[in-house]
Amino acid sequence: MIRLPEIGGGVREYAPRSEPLTLGGGGALTSRTVYSAAHVVADPYADTTPDSPAAVDWDATLAFRRHLWSQGLGVAEAMDTAQRGMGLDWTGAAELIRRSAAEAKAVGGRIACGVGTDQLTEPEHLTGPAGLAAVRKAYEEQLALVEETGSRAVLMASRALAAAASDPEDYLDLYGHLLRQASEPVILHWLGPMFDPALDGYWGSADLDTATETFLEVIAAHPDKVDGIKVSLLDARREVELRRRLPEGVRCYTGDDFHYPELIAGDEQGFSHALLGIFDPLAPLAAQAVRTLDTGDTDGFRAILDPTVALSRHLFRAPTRFYKTGVVLLAWLAGHQDHFTMVGGLQSARSLPHLAKAYELADGLGLFPDPALAESRMRSLLTVGGGL
C-alpha cells in the first residue's frame, strides 16, 4: 500500500498493481498516421536558473524518441510538449530538431518538426508592418532549417503573429507566403488559448466561427501545400465539422487530448489522424489500440483507448499548458529517465496531490513496465514533497 494525498485534502491508501499490462508486439500502423508530441529530458546537474537557456540531456531525450518509434508512432518534435516557449528557446529547439531528425533517419522513424517564431523574444511589442515583416523572417528561418533536415514542417501558431496582426488579411497574406515557398506540404497547427493564452484571437478573430473561415480560406488557396491540419481546441464537435470541410487529400490530425478516441475512430463521413501530447506517456497503449483499429475492430480500439481518457483529462486540466509536468512525471515513473527535473523548473508547476492522482490513474492502466520501480519513485517524491 502507498499513502497518496488527495486533491480535496486528506490522505488515503492505494494498492498499486503488481504486474504491468501485457501488450502485443510492434510494427507499422496502417489505418491512421499517428504522431506523439515528445517531451525533452532536462540535464539535472546543469547549473541553471529558470531564466537561463535550457540544459537538455541529449542521450535521454533521443532515447525516448527511439522508444516512441519502436512502438510504431511518429515523433512530433520541438512542439508544445517539448516546452517550446516554456523553457526551450529557439536555439535549443533548433539543436533538438537537428539531433532528432538525424536519429529519425538512422532508425527509419517518421518525424515532423515545429516551425515557429520564438526567436522574437518580446512578441507583444511587435505591431504593424514592421512586426509582420519580423514574423515572416522568423518563420522563414525556422522553415528553412526544418526542410534542410528532411523533416516534415509543422507551422505552429505564433504569439508574435497574434500580437502583430490586425485582421484576418494579415494571416492570409503571411500563411500564403509561407505555403508558396514551402518545398513540401506542411501541417498547419491551430493551438487554442487554453494551451497558450497569448494565442487568443488567432486567425484574426476571437469568434471561433469567424476564425475557422479564415483558417479554411488559407487551406483552400493552397491545398497542394497542406499535408494536414492539427487542431488543438478541445472541442470535438468543432473538429468534426472542420474535418468534413477539408479539401480532398488534406488530413485532420487531432490534437484534442479530451476526445481523441472518438475522433480517431471517426464516423461514416471520415476520421482524424493524431498528433497528441498524451501519446507521449500512452505510446504503448496508443499503438496497440491503432493496431487493433488497423484490423477493422473499432470496438476493440475504443475498449483499449477509452479508459485512458480519465488520465488525459487529469493531466490536461486547467491551466492546460502545465500538462507537461504530468507527462514528465510519468516518463520518470516508467523508467524512461532517471529524474523528475524539468527545463525551467517546471516540475513545480503542479501540486503533489495532482501528481499523485496522475500516478494512480497511470498505474491503474498498467502503463508502468516495472510497477515496483514506479511505486518506489512515487514514494520518494511523496517523502521529499510532503513527508508522507
Side-chain angles (χ1 to χ4, degrees):
M1 302 292 286
I2 181 172
R3 299 175 70 224
L4 299 178
E6 297 198 272
I7 291 176
V11 176
R12 68 181 182 84
E13 291 192 337
Y14 170 71
R17 63 187 298 153
S18 58
E19 298 292 335
L21 189 66
T22 301
L23 297 172
L29 310 181
T30 59
S31 64
R32 303 290 188 273
T33 300
V34 180
Y35 290 97
S36 166
H39 74 279
V40 292
V41 182
D43 179 353
Y45 300 118
D47 186 15
T48 61
T49 67
D51 295 327
S52 60
V56 176
D57 181 336
W58 294 111
D59 289 341
T61 293
L62 294 176
F64 188 78
R65 280 135 182 82
R66 290 193 294 272
H67 157 68
L68 296 174
W69 285 317
S70 74
Q71 301 297 323
L73 305 183
V75 168
E77 189 54 276
M79 297 188 65
D80 183 64
T81 307
Q83 293 183 238
R84 286 290 288 272
M86 292 184 70
L88 189 71
D89 61 12
W90 168 235
T91 300
E95 183 67 12
L96 179 62
I97 288 167
R98 292 188 188 98
R99 288 176 181 256
S100 290
E103 197 72 18
K105 288 180 181 177
V107 304
R110 184 192 299 267
I111 188 168
C113 298
V115 170
T117 63
D118 42 342
Q119 310 97 309
L120 307 173
T121 55
E122 296 184 335
E124 65 276 8
H125 298 311
L126 296 170
T127 58
L132 291 170
V135 170
R136 176 182 293 190
K137 183 178 179 181
Y139 263 130
E140 289 173 338
E141 177 189 355
Q142 297 201 15
L143 179 60
L145 183 144
V146 169
E147 291 189 335
E148 286 170 8
T149 69
S151 304
R152 185 172 299 283
V154 182
L155 292 187
M156 300 192 298
S158 163
R159 293 175 180 173
L161 179 55
S166 58
D167 55 37
E169 287 299 321
D170 288 336
Y171 289 88
L172 292 170
D173 289 346
L174 191 141
Y175 275 92
H177 171 80
L178 294 173
L179 290 173
R180 283 191 296 272
Q181 75 175 60
S183 60
E184 298 289 340
V186 307
I187 299 172
L188 296 180
H189 186 191
W190 186 356
L191 189 71
M194 68 289 295
F195 288 91
D196 188 342
L199 298 176
D200 192 30
Y202 210 73
W203 303 111
S205 177
D207 178 76
L208 289 180
D209 291 334
T210 302
T212 296
E213 295 306 316
T214 303
F215 186 46
L216 286 168
E217 189 174 346
V218 169
I219 299 164
H222 308 276
D224 59 322
K225 289 297 187 73
V226 181
D227 167 80
I229 62 169
K230 170 177 158 53
V231 186
S232 300
L233 298 175
L234 303 183
D235 185 333
R237 177 195 59 81
R238 185 172 297 278
E239 178 175 323
V240 171
E241 291 175 354
L242 179 57
R243 184 175 76 198
R244 291 173 179 171
R245 296 179 63 188
L246 292 175
E248 185 71 24
V250 176
R251 297 182 177 96
C252 179
Y253 294 94
T254 187
D256 188 331
D257 299 279
F258 286 1
H259 308 100
Y260 52 93
E262 65 195 75
L263 291 165
I264 297 170
D267 55 31
E268 66 282 354
Q269 297 185 53
F271 56 82
S272 295
H273 300 270
L275 197 164
L276 287 161
I278 192 57
F279 280 6
D280 177 304
L282 288 184
L285 270 178
Q288 172 110 342
V290 175
R291 288 191 189 96
T292 302
L293 189 59
D294 291 345
T295 69
D297 184 0
T298 302
D299 290 341
F301 165 82
R302 295 293 300 267
I304 295 170
L305 216 52
D306 281 359
T308 69
V309 173
L311 171 63
S312 188
R313 284 179 173 265
H314 177 71
L315 295 183
F316 285 79
R317 66 185 296 184
T320 302
R321 62 189 181 278
F322 295 123
Y323 74 89
K324 284 81 104 176
T325 302
V327 166
V328 175
L329 170 81
L330 297 183
W332 172 55
L333 295 178
H336 293 297
Q337 55 193 81
D338 295 331
H339 59 85
F340 180 40
T341 300
M342 295 180 66
V343 169
L346 208 61
Q347 67 272 10
S348 65
R350 292 294 202 186
S351 70
L352 202 58
H354 177 93
L355 299 177
K357 185 64 175 180
Y359 160 74
E360 179 182 352
L361 290 169
D363 179 72
L365 292 169
L367 283 182
F368 302 129
D370 184 344
L373 173 67
E375 179 183 352
S376 174
R377 289 184 169 184
M378 193 67 214
R379 286 183 185 277
S380 69
L381 180 64
L382 292 170
T383 299
V384 172
L388 291 177

